[in-house]
Amino acid sequence: MTNRFGWALADGWTIARRDLTHWRMQPGPVIFKWFFPVLMLLMFGALLGGAMERPEGQSYYELLVPGIFALAMLFGLESTMLAITEDAAKGVTDRFRSLPISSTAVVLGRCIADLLDSVVTLTVLVVTGLVLGWRWHGTFAAALAAFGLLLLLRFALLWVGTFIGLVVKNAQSVAMVQVLVWPIGFLSSAFVATSTMPSWLGAIAQWNPLSLTATAARSLFENPDTAPASWIGDHAIGAAVIGPLLLTALFLPLAATRFRKLSR
Amino acid sequence: MQRVEVPERVILASEVRKNYVGGTEGAGLNGFDLEVQAGTVVGLLGPNGAGKTTAVRILSTLLAPDSGEATVAGYDVRRQGGEVRRRIGLVGQYAAVDEIITGRQNLVLFGRLNHLSRPAAVRRADELLERFALTAAADQAAAKYSGGMRRRLDLAASLIVAPPVLFVDEPTTGLDPAARIEVWSAVRDLVDGGTTVLLTTQYLEEADRLADRISMLKAGKVVAEGTPDELKAALGADWLDVVLLDPADVPRVRALVEPLAAGELRVDDLRVSIPVRDRTRTLVDVATSLREAMIEPEDITLRRPTLDEVFLHLTAEEVAA
Ligand SMILES: Nc1ncnc2c1ncn2[C@@H]1O[C@H](COP(=O)(O)OP(=O)(O)O)[C@@H](O)[C@H]1O
Ligand SMILES: [Mg+2]
């Protein structure tokens, strides 16, 4: 491995492993983070599930579990953002930037670590979902594709998180973003079918990237979706690919520019 | 450890300007010049906000200057950042270590990122832990370290590949005296090993102790440069300190010696400091006039100015201008 790309990969992996060491050294916060979506699942499933109108013989979990998967990807935004602001505040970012490694490696490291983190989050959620009676009814390959789409959403949100993390810099603004994540999470089809919302709100919620991925995942899992017939509902899988790619196309350059701006 | 060849003048900066985007007018650097010879320690001395960190960040490629030229180890900091980074170590103003992981893990991490093999990184980490007296705490999370220990870990992390040039930004600010002495001795060891060091500090004592040459920075510009002795000789006269026994005598002595002084007197409690030009003559004159006034001083000493006085002198000049 003598070329630049090879080194960027190797250095990126070294930096990602730092996060894995963090998990080992300080398991508390990360375990909490992994189980938080489980808490949401139980809370919404058990507390509100009874009140949800569902077609005969259909469990609310059929709708909710894929929604929570997508929601967990959204929450990942916070952990990316926090990691970025932490490293900037502690001077670790500057230390990386003064080393003979490429900035690609630094970003790649964050990317690998956060995707691994999401894989664990999803695994914990899948196990919980299965225990609660949720199943995928389609093929295993289709289920894998659904997880692929979920991780793609996480990948896109990584750049949003990196960008915001580089912009806000302080813990107070981070807290504000953490609060704002909630309405974004609720204004989607994660918890309820958008058909139950006032039509204008339902339309917005349908186009929420979170809903796109949730709807696509439900369709790949062959979990019944009560989305009203709509153009976006019919093209859910394509939308769940294109939506995150658009987000990436917008925020990856923004994040990269912002990273370079650190030297202004 | 391999050494990379570096030119005689390791750090060169000329007319470097930097105004922060959205920052206050005039903050940053306003025509900063610096020249550092290989194997020496240069102290960049200045009060808070003088631009020390800005200078260090520009020279270590973290920050792009608006204009001016700067080279480190012969490479342009703007166009050849990668080459520069291969030859420098940076110890920032605030210890930049990962606090969640242990001291050893930090050093191995940064060793790997300096492209050492894993065994080499581990070996190097052990050496550095030993050298900076951190072996006992090696496997504790860095968050548990004291300020001095963290600073030493930070220093160690910057020395993994024995950089020919090291930037150290205010290494002892906020440290207790014992930790300060530890850091000083670590820096001195480095210099003995041939590293060129640019050290910034607010403490005159620190610059005087560690630096071969001092550049005094004020409002983003070097206002004086030289060896500590040269600076003392060039700036301000020598001082004659008269220490009295009785506070009541102070005003009388002031009046007596005022005409003999080469500048403004300074009074600190029982000590009257008189700037002098003609050393022995003033000494005799002062002693004589005290004797005639029947004042018995506790002590009379002739001395060179301290760096503090040099600095006050410069600052006063600036204010007057
Ligand atoms: N990121 C920044 N944005 C705007 N102004 C800044 C920034 N960093 C430093 N400054 C200003 O530039 C001046 C020099 O700062 P600095 O180089 O940190 O000084 P020193 O290290 O000598 O204390 C100060 O007035 C400071 O307020
Ligand atoms: Mg500073």
Side-chain angles (χ1 to χ4, degrees), chain B residues 240 276 278-288 300-302:
Chain B
L240 185 65
V276 298
D278 191 333
R279 292 162 58 97
T280 37
R281 178 129 157 247
T282 317
L283 176 62
V284 173
D285 287 354
V286 167
T288 314
I300 301 188
T301 43
L302 201 49

Side-chain angles (χ1 to χ4, degrees), chain B residues 46-57:
Chain B
N48 220 339
K52 302 181 295 295
T53 300
T54 307
V56 165
R57 288 173 61 83

Side-chain angles (χ1 to χ4, degrees), chain A residues 79-101:
Chain A
S79 63
T80 301
M81 199 172 65
L82 274 175
I84 297 276
T85 48
E86 267 294 291
D87 277 355
K90 291 271 148 66
V92 175
T93 308
D94 273 353
R95 160 90 58 204
F96 283 151
R97 291 175 64 229
S98 74
L99 289 172
I101 59 175

Side-chain angles (χ1 to χ4, degrees), chain A residues 264, chain B residues 18-24 26-29 46-55 57 63 93 169-170 200 202 217 220:
Chain A
R264 295 262 179 90
Chain B
K18 172 77 200 175
N19 212 241
Y20 285 98
V21 177
T24 336
L29 293 182
N48 220 339
K52 302 181 295 295
T53 300
T54 307
R57 288 173 61 83
L63 198 64
Q93 183 163 355
D169 196 3
E170 297 197 23
T200 83
Q202 301 191 35
L217 193 61

Side-chain angles (χ1 to χ4, degrees), chain B residues 174-192:
Chain B
L175 293 189
D176 59 56
R180 187 169 294 178
I181 287 166
E182 285 170 28
V183 171
W184 281 346
S185 90
V187 172
R188 223 176 279 116
D189 281 355
L190 284 178
V191 179
D192 293 343

